[in-house]
Amino acid sequence: MDLKFLVVDDSVTMRRIVSNSLKNLGFENFVEAGDGKEALTILTSDSSINFVITDWNMPVMTGLELIKAIRSDAALSKLPVLMVTTRGVKDDIIEALNAKVNNYIVKPFTPQVLKEKIEQCLASA
Amino acid sequence: MKHSENLVQLFDRLNELKYLFHYGQKIIPIIQSLIDFMKDTVPMLENINSSISDSASKIPKAQNQIHDVTSATEMATIEIMDIVDVISNDISKIEDEISTLIAKEERKKEIFTKLRIMFGGNAEAVALLEELDKETAIFNQLSQILATVQKTKSDAYNITIALQVQDITTQQLAAVNHLITSVQQRLSNLVLEIDETDIDVKDRKKIVIPDEETFNAEAKYDKDDSRQKLADQLLNKTSQDEIDKLFS
């Protein structure tokens, strides 16, 4: 399966770190977005994207709102979504799970954790 | 008769007046001290007003400085990443070259093995071959260099990973900015309540409190994996029904 990732984060630094990590894991195909709204626009225009990695706290549209929008769109609802965020308290994690996120990484992450979570998302997809 | 009643009433009124004067004599010093207190308090209040005004006016500068720090650290982080990328690419080229040399070394070993068989009957030729093999053997050194280069490449990548600290501190600074903006708004409101003329209302309108959705005030650079473990536990052990129950 050819994977094409959408990396969503308002931080240029984090987008680059995640993209570099993907390259390091052997995934070369990815696009980036600076907020949830931009991500949705990309997702609706590029059907080849089959994996979303998103931050939570972003301007315009948060990662949580993005997940809810993805899950409520018939064409996108099955997309694996991995959240990478600084929010690590129980209530936040439960809120993300309730929004039907596939997996959850608390920043700062290690490359090993990113690899594991991508594999888990793909295995359960 | 009526005349005497009037006199009684007059004396009563005069007595009341006398008590009033007595009371007045007692109360006047109190009123005087109250006036004195007010005289002392007004400049003090003006001072407080001016201090609050002054503090409130300095806050935008503090906010700009925080914003500048955030921008500067982001720029510096990107520069570091650019340099690390260049180093990583160079290391990858060196890695490829060393791998090619190791492959050549392995091929050389195969040739030497074949030559030993070919020169089996010629002891002098075999001795020279062994000497040549010994003198030119660099396989072990190349393997060591390759291991070092790969470790350096991994270290360079780990520098990139460690730069997540920039995103986390940016969120912490955004939380501080949010806090001081709230303080500024409260101070401005306070000044307006004390004296509307002392602060420019237009300035107050300019105060924009950053959206809390764009940062996490609890963000921290912590290598302790307890928060990740909590996320994993909730992901793995909680059924959807349980999630719904916990959420509601």
Side-chain angles (χ1 to χ4, degrees):
Chain A
M1 181 187 181
D2 284 336
L3 281 175
K4 186 170 182 180
F5 290 84
L6 173 61
V7 180
V8 193
D9 202 307
D10 57 326
S11 159
V12 182
T13 307
M14 278 313 300
R15 286 206 301 270
R16 194 147 160 195
I17 290 170
V18 173
S19 300
N20 274 0
S21 299
L22 289 174
K23 272 190 212 167
N24 226 35
L25 294 172
F27 303 114
E28 296 284 342
N29 205 2
F30 50 82
V31 284
E32 296 179 4
D35 60 65
K37 197 179 173 189
E38 194 187 336
L40 264 187
T41 308
I42 294 171
L43 283 172
T44 47
S45 63
D46 185 351
S47 59
S48 66
I49 293 166
N50 43 22
F51 203 111
V52 178
I53 298 177
T54 184
D55 181 24
W56 184 318
N57 291 100
M58 292 183 289
V60 189
M61 182 191 264
T62 67
L64 197 70
E65 290 165 342
L66 172 65
I67 296 168
K68 287 174 184 171
I70 288 171
R71 294 296 177 240
S72 62
D73 185 321
L76 304 171
S77 64
K78 302 285 180 201
L79 266 179
V81 182
L82 170 60
M83 183 164 260
V84 182
T85 174
T86 54
R87 302 179 86 105
V89 296
K90 192 178 176 183
D91 287 350
D92 289 337
I93 300 164
I94 290 168
E95 200 175 350
L97 289 174
N98 202 55
K100 310 268 191 295
V101 72
N102 292 81
N103 223 311
Y104 198 95
I105 293 179
V106 182
K107 293 178 195 171
F109 67 86
T110 63
Q112 185 57 33
V113 169
L114 181 67
K115 184 174 182 275
E116 278 172 21
K117 300 301 170 192
I118 290 172
E119 285 170 357
Q120 284 171 13
C121 283
L122 294 173
S124 62
Chain B
M1 189 66 187
K2 198 177 179 184
H3 179 70
S4 78
E5 274 177 14
N6 284 343
L7 276 176
V8 169
Q9 275 184 352
L10 180 67
F11 284 127
D12 285 346
R13 294 289 168 270
L14 281 171
N15 271 333
E16 281 174 15
L17 207 58
K18 184 180 149 195
Y19 286 128
L20 204 64
F21 279 131
H22 277 297
Y23 185 70
Q25 274 175 334
K26 282 181 187 169
I27 202 104
I28 280 168
I30 296 168
I31 291 170
Q32 186 59 50
S33 58
L34 199 65
I35 291 166
D36 292 344
F37 173 75
M38 292 291 278
K39 273 183 187 167
D40 291 342
T41 310
V42 168
M44 207 166 74
L45 283 172
E46 278 172 357
N47 258 342
I48 292 169
N49 189 12
S50 147
S51 295
I52 292 172
S53 225
D54 190 38
S55 304
S57 69
K58 280 176 185 165
I59 284 176
K61 196 184 168 193
Q63 288 171 305
N64 285 339
Q65 281 170 337
I66 287 174
H67 186 261
D68 288 349
V69 168
T70 303
S71 302
T73 53
E74 187 175 75
M75 266 173 62
T77 306
I78 299 294
E79 279 174 23
I80 293 168
M81 285 177 148
D82 287 343
I83 295 166
V84 170
D85 277 356
V86 170
I87 293 169
S88 297
N89 287 337
D90 289 347
I91 291 172
S92 292
K93 283 176 194 164
I94 295 168
E95 198 180 3
D96 291 346
E97 291 295 325
I98 295 170
S99 296
T100 308
L101 287 175
I102 287 174
K104 282 183 178 176
E105 248 330 86
E106 279 167 347
R107 176 68 188 135
K108 196 180 88 182
K109 267 187 179 176
E110 286 171 17
I111 293 169
F112 268 87
T113 308
K114 282 179 185 172
L115 284 172
R116 274 187 204 99
I117 296 164
M118 283 171 72
F119 296 137
N122 187 338
E124 196 179 354
V126 170
L128 280 170
L129 205 60
E130 290 300 333
E131 193 182 339
L132 182 66
D133 187 13
K134 207 174 175 181
E135 288 298 319
T136 58
I138 51 167
F139 184 84
N140 288 342
Q141 288 95 320
L142 283 177
S143 298
Q144 279 172 9
I145 293 167
L146 184 65
T148 308
V149 164
Q150 283 170 340
K151 186 185 174 298
T152 310
K153 192 179 174 184
S154 167
D155 289 345
Y157 173 58
N158 286 337
I159 290 173
T160 307
I161 291 295
L163 290 173
Q164 287 178 84
V165 71
Q166 192 272 325
D167 174 53
I168 292 164
T169 51
T170 295
Q171 294 195 47
Q172 289 167 337
L173 288 173
V176 172
N177 226 344
H178 181 267
L179 189 69
I180 61 175
T181 306
S182 308
V183 170
Q184 187 195 20
Q185 199 174 49
R186 279 165 191 254
L187 286 178
S188 299
N189 288 340
L190 195 61
V191 173
L192 277 170
E193 280 166 19
I194 295 170
D195 184 354
E196 280 197 45
T197 58
D198 275 7
I199 190 161
D200 188 354
V201 179
K202 282 180 211 159
D203 276 353
R204 195 171 72 101
K205 282 181 184 166
K206 279 181 197 164
I207 300 166
V208 179
I209 297 187
D211 186 357
E212 280 185 76
E213 293 289 356
T214 62
F215 65 87
N216 172 23
E218 307 296 323
K220 56 182 173 180
Y221 190 74
D222 188 355
K223 289 196 174 175
D224 168 26
D225 64 351
S226 58
R227 292 181 301 156
Q228 186 59 54
K229 278 183 179 163
L230 174 68
D232 292 346
Q233 276 172 6
L234 290 167
L235 269 158
N236 298 330
K237 294 182 182 169
T238 314
S239 68
Q240 190 55 50
D241 284 347
E242 283 169 315
I243 292 170
D244 292 342
K245 208 183 285 175
L246 284 165
F247 192 71
S248 59

PDB file of all heavy atoms in Angstrom, chain B residues 202-217:
ATOM      1  N   LYS B 202      -9.232  53.931  23.026  1.00  0.00           N
ATOM      2  CA  LYS B 202      -8.877  53.253  21.771  1.00  0.00           C
ATOM      3  C   LYS B 202      -7.849  52.159  22.032  1.00  0.00           C
ATOM      4  O   LYS B 202      -7.872  51.108  21.437  1.00  0.00           O
ATOM      5  CB  LYS B 202      -8.281  54.267  20.787  1.00  0.00           C
ATOM      6  CG  LYS B 202      -9.306  55.130  20.102  1.00  0.00           C
ATOM      7  CD  LYS B 202      -8.580  56.090  19.170  1.00  0.00           C
ATOM      8  CE  LYS B 202      -9.334  57.392  19.047  1.00  0.00           C
ATOM      9  NZ  LYS B 202      -8.466  58.468  18.590  1.00  0.00           N
ATOM     10  N   ASP B 203      -6.896  52.464  22.978  1.00  0.00           N
ATOM     11  CA  ASP B 203      -5.874  51.490  23.323  1.00  0.00           C
ATOM     12  C   ASP B 203      -6.494  50.225  23.887  1.00  0.00           C
ATOM     13  O   ASP B 203      -6.064  49.126  23.606  1.00  0.00           O
ATOM     14  CB  ASP B 203      -4.903  52.067  24.376  1.00  0.00           C
ATOM     15  CG  ASP B 203      -3.820  52.885  23.700  1.00  0.00           C
ATOM     16  OD1 ASP B 203      -3.774  52.862  22.458  1.00  0.00           O
ATOM     17  OD2 ASP B 203      -3.049  53.547  24.416  1.00  0.00           O
ATOM     18  N   ARG B 204      -7.524  50.461  24.716  1.00  0.00           N
ATOM     19  CA  ARG B 204      -8.181  49.319  25.341  1.00  0.00           C
ATOM     20  C   ARG B 204      -8.833  48.425  24.282  1.00  0.00           C
ATOM     21  O   ARG B 204      -8.817  47.211  24.376  1.00  0.00           O
ATOM     22  CB  ARG B 204      -9.218  49.802  26.345  1.00  0.00           C
ATOM     23  CG  ARG B 204      -9.685  48.711  27.283  1.00  0.00           C
ATOM     24  CD  ARG B 204     -10.526  49.284  28.375  1.00  0.00           C
ATOM     25  NE  ARG B 204     -11.815  49.686  27.887  1.00  0.00           N
ATOM     26  CZ  ARG B 204     -12.919  48.965  28.047  1.00  0.00           C
ATOM     27  NH1 ARG B 204     -12.870  47.827  28.677  1.00  0.00           N
ATOM     28  NH2 ARG B 204     -14.063  49.391  27.608  1.00  0.00           N
ATOM     29  N   LYS B 205      -9.383  49.080  23.269  1.00  0.00           N
ATOM     30  CA  LYS B 205     -10.035  48.307  22.209  1.00  0.00           C
ATOM     31  C   LYS B 205      -9.025  47.458  21.430  1.00  0.00           C
ATOM     32  O   LYS B 205      -9.385  46.463  20.840  1.00  0.00           O
ATOM     33  CB  LYS B 205     -10.771  49.248  21.262  1.00  0.00           C
ATOM     34  CG  LYS B 205     -12.103  49.719  21.843  1.00  0.00           C
ATOM     35  CD  LYS B 205     -12.808  50.632  20.871  1.00  0.00           C
ATOM     36  CE  LYS B 205     -14.086  51.186  21.480  1.00  0.00           C
ATOM     37  NZ  LYS B 205     -14.609  52.300  20.715  1.00  0.00           N
ATOM     38  N   LYS B 206      -7.757  47.929  21.452  1.00  0.00           N
ATOM     39  CA  LYS B 206      -6.735  47.207  20.684  1.00  0.00           C
ATOM     40  C   LYS B 206      -6.311  45.902  21.361  1.00  0.00           C
ATOM     41  O   LYS B 206      -5.666  45.081  20.764  1.00  0.00           O
ATOM     42  CB  LYS B 206      -5.499  48.092  20.512  1.00  0.00           C
ATOM     43  CG  LYS B 206      -5.628  49.104  19.404  1.00  0.00           C
ATOM     44  CD  LYS B 206      -4.343  49.890  19.316  1.00  0.00           C
ATOM     45  CE  LYS B 206      -4.556  51.169  18.535  1.00  0.00           C
ATOM     46  NZ  LYS B 206      -3.457  52.098  18.761  1.00  0.00           N
ATOM     47  N   ILE B 207      -6.653  45.766  22.645  1.00  0.00           N
ATOM     48  CA  ILE B 207      -6.197  44.590  23.379  1.00  0.00           C
ATOM     49  C   ILE B 207      -6.893  43.343  22.835  1.00  0.00           C
ATOM     50  O   ILE B 207      -8.102  43.220  22.888  1.00  0.00           O
ATOM     51  CB  ILE B 207      -6.472  44.722  24.894  1.00  0.00           C
ATOM     52  CG1 ILE B 207      -5.750  45.950  25.449  1.00  0.00           C
ATOM     53  CG2 ILE B 207      -6.057  43.465  25.634  1.00  0.00           C
ATOM     54  CD1 ILE B 207      -6.216  46.353  26.830  1.00  0.00           C
ATOM     55  N   VAL B 208      -6.089  42.457  22.274  1.00  0.00           N
ATOM     56  CA  VAL B 208      -6.644  41.228  21.729  1.00  0.00           C
ATOM     57  C   VAL B 208      -6.098  40.070  22.550  1.00  0.00           C
ATOM     58  O   VAL B 208      -4.890  39.868  22.623  1.00  0.00           O
ATOM     59  CB  VAL B 208      -6.243  41.057  20.239  1.00  0.00           C
ATOM     60  CG1 VAL B 208      -6.810  39.765  19.687  1.00  0.00           C
ATOM     61  CG2 VAL B 208      -6.715  42.246  19.426  1.00  0.00           C
ATOM     62  N   ILE B 209      -6.988  39.359  23.185  1.00  0.00           N
ATOM     63  CA  ILE B 209      -6.546  38.212  23.976  1.00  0.00           C
ATOM     64  C   ILE B 209      -6.346  37.032  23.024  1.00  0.00           C
ATOM     65  O   ILE B 209      -7.257  36.674  22.277  1.00  0.00           O
ATOM     66  CB  ILE B 209      -7.553  37.872  25.084  1.00  0.00           C
ATOM     67  CG1 ILE B 209      -7.637  39.054  26.064  1.00  0.00           C
ATOM     68  CG2 ILE B 209      -7.182  36.587  25.796  1.00  0.00           C
ATOM     69  CD1 ILE B 209      -8.442  38.834  27.293  1.00  0.00           C
ATOM     70  N   PRO B 210      -5.111  36.445  23.011  1.00  0.00           N
ATOM     71  CA  PRO B 210      -4.858  35.325  22.108  1.00  0.00           C
ATOM     72  C   PRO B 210      -5.850  34.184  22.340  1.00  0.00           C
ATOM     73  O   PRO B 210      -6.258  33.939  23.477  1.00  0.00           O
ATOM     74  CB  PRO B 210      -3.437  34.880  22.479  1.00  0.00           C
ATOM     75  CG  PRO B 210      -2.843  35.993  23.244  1.00  0.00           C
ATOM     76  CD  PRO B 210      -3.957  36.736  23.872  1.00  0.00           C
ATOM     77  N   ASP B 211      -6.204  33.535  21.245  1.00  0.00           N
ATOM     78  CA  ASP B 211      -7.143  32.432  21.311  1.00  0.00           C
ATOM     79  C   ASP B 211      -6.501  31.243  22.036  1.00  0.00           C
ATOM     80  O   ASP B 211      -5.441  30.756  21.643  1.00  0.00           O
ATOM     81  CB  ASP B 211      -7.529  32.034  19.882  1.00  0.00           C
ATOM     82  CG  ASP B 211      -8.617  31.000  19.855  1.00  0.00           C
ATOM     83  OD1 ASP B 211      -9.027  30.543  20.936  1.00  0.00           O
ATOM     84  OD2 ASP B 211      -9.054  30.652  18.746  1.00  0.00           O
ATOM     85  N   GLU B 212      -7.169  30.786  23.113  1.00  0.00           N
ATOM     86  CA  GLU B 212      -6.610  29.685  23.910  1.00  0.00           C
ATOM     87  C   GLU B 212      -6.506  28.383  23.122  1.00  0.00           C
ATOM     88  O   GLU B 212      -5.769  27.484  23.503  1.00  0.00           O
ATOM     89  CB  GLU B 212      -7.463  29.467  25.162  1.00  0.00           C
ATOM     90  CG  GLU B 212      -7.137  30.460  26.252  1.00  0.00           C
ATOM     91  CD  GLU B 212      -7.877  30.197  27.542  1.00  0.00           C
ATOM     92  OE1 GLU B 212      -7.493  29.272  28.255  1.00  0.00           O
ATOM     93  OE2 GLU B 212      -8.833  30.932  27.820  1.00  0.00           O
ATOM     94  N   GLU B 213      -7.268  28.270  22.022  1.00  0.00           N
ATOM     95  CA  GLU B 213      -7.230  27.049  21.227  1.00  0.00           C
ATOM     96  C   GLU B 213      -5.904  26.869  20.491  1.00  0.00           C
ATOM     97  O   GLU B 213      -5.593  25.795  20.015  1.00  0.00           O
ATOM     98  CB  GLU B 213      -8.374  27.062  20.187  1.00  0.00           C
ATOM     99  CG  GLU B 213      -9.757  26.971  20.780  1.00  0.00           C
ATOM    100  CD  GLU B 213     -10.079  25.597  21.361  1.00  0.00           C
ATOM    101  OE1 GLU B 213      -9.248  24.683  21.235  1.00  0.00           O
ATOM    102  OE2 GLU B 213     -11.150  25.455  21.951  1.00  0.00           O
ATOM    103  N   THR B 214      -5.127  27.976  20.364  1.00  0.00           N
ATOM    104  CA  THR B 214      -3.894  27.874  19.578  1.00  0.00           C
ATOM    105  C   THR B 214      -2.695  27.421  20.398  1.00  0.00           C
ATOM    106  O   THR B 214      -1.610  27.251  19.859  1.00  0.00           O
ATOM    107  CB  THR B 214      -3.559  29.229  18.917  1.00  0.00           C
ATOM    108  OG1 THR B 214      -3.335  30.177  19.959  1.00  0.00           O
ATOM    109  CG2 THR B 214      -4.667  29.703  17.999  1.00  0.00           C
ATOM    110  N   PHE B 215      -2.870  27.268  21.692  1.00  0.00           N
ATOM    111  CA  PHE B 215      -1.761  26.787  22.514  1.00  0.00           C
ATOM    112  C   PHE B 215      -2.280  25.956  23.675  1.00  0.00           C
ATOM    113  O   PHE B 215      -3.464  26.008  24.010  1.00  0.00           O
ATOM    114  CB  PHE B 215      -0.941  27.965  23.055  1.00  0.00           C
ATOM    115  CG  PHE B 215      -1.702  28.848  23.997  1.00  0.00           C
ATOM    116  CD1 PHE B 215      -1.762  28.571  25.355  1.00  0.00           C
ATOM    117  CD2 PHE B 215      -2.397  29.950  23.525  1.00  0.00           C
ATOM    118  CE1 PHE B 215      -2.488  29.377  26.218  1.00  0.00           C
ATOM    119  CE2 PHE B 215      -3.131  30.766  24.383  1.00  0.00           C
ATOM    120  CZ  PHE B 215      -3.177  30.477  25.731  1.00  0.00           C
ATOM    121  N   ASN B 216      -1.369  25.188  24.264  1.00  0.00           N
ATOM    122  CA  ASN B 216      -1.710  24.410  25.448  1.00  0.00           C
ATOM    123  C   ASN B 216      -0.898  24.971  26.608  1.00  0.00           C
ATOM    124  O   ASN B 216       0.333  24.852  26.621  1.00  0.00           O
ATOM    125  CB  ASN B 216      -1.388  22.932  25.199  1.00  0.00           C
ATOM    126  CG  ASN B 216      -1.528  22.095  26.452  1.00  0.00           C
ATOM    127  OD1 ASN B 216      -2.244  22.470  27.377  1.00  0.00           O
ATOM    128  ND2 ASN B 216      -0.851  20.965  26.478  1.00  0.00           N
ATOM    129  N   ALA B 217      -1.586  25.580  27.570  1.00  0.00           N
ATOM    130  CA  ALA B 217      -0.892  26.203  28.704  1.00  0.00           C
ATOM    131  C   ALA B 217      -0.139  25.178  29.545  1.00  0.00           C
ATOM    132  O   ALA B 217       0.777  25.523  30.288  1.00  0.00           O
ATOM    133  CB  ALA B 217      -1.901  26.950  29.566  1.00  0.00           C
TER     134      ALA B 217
END
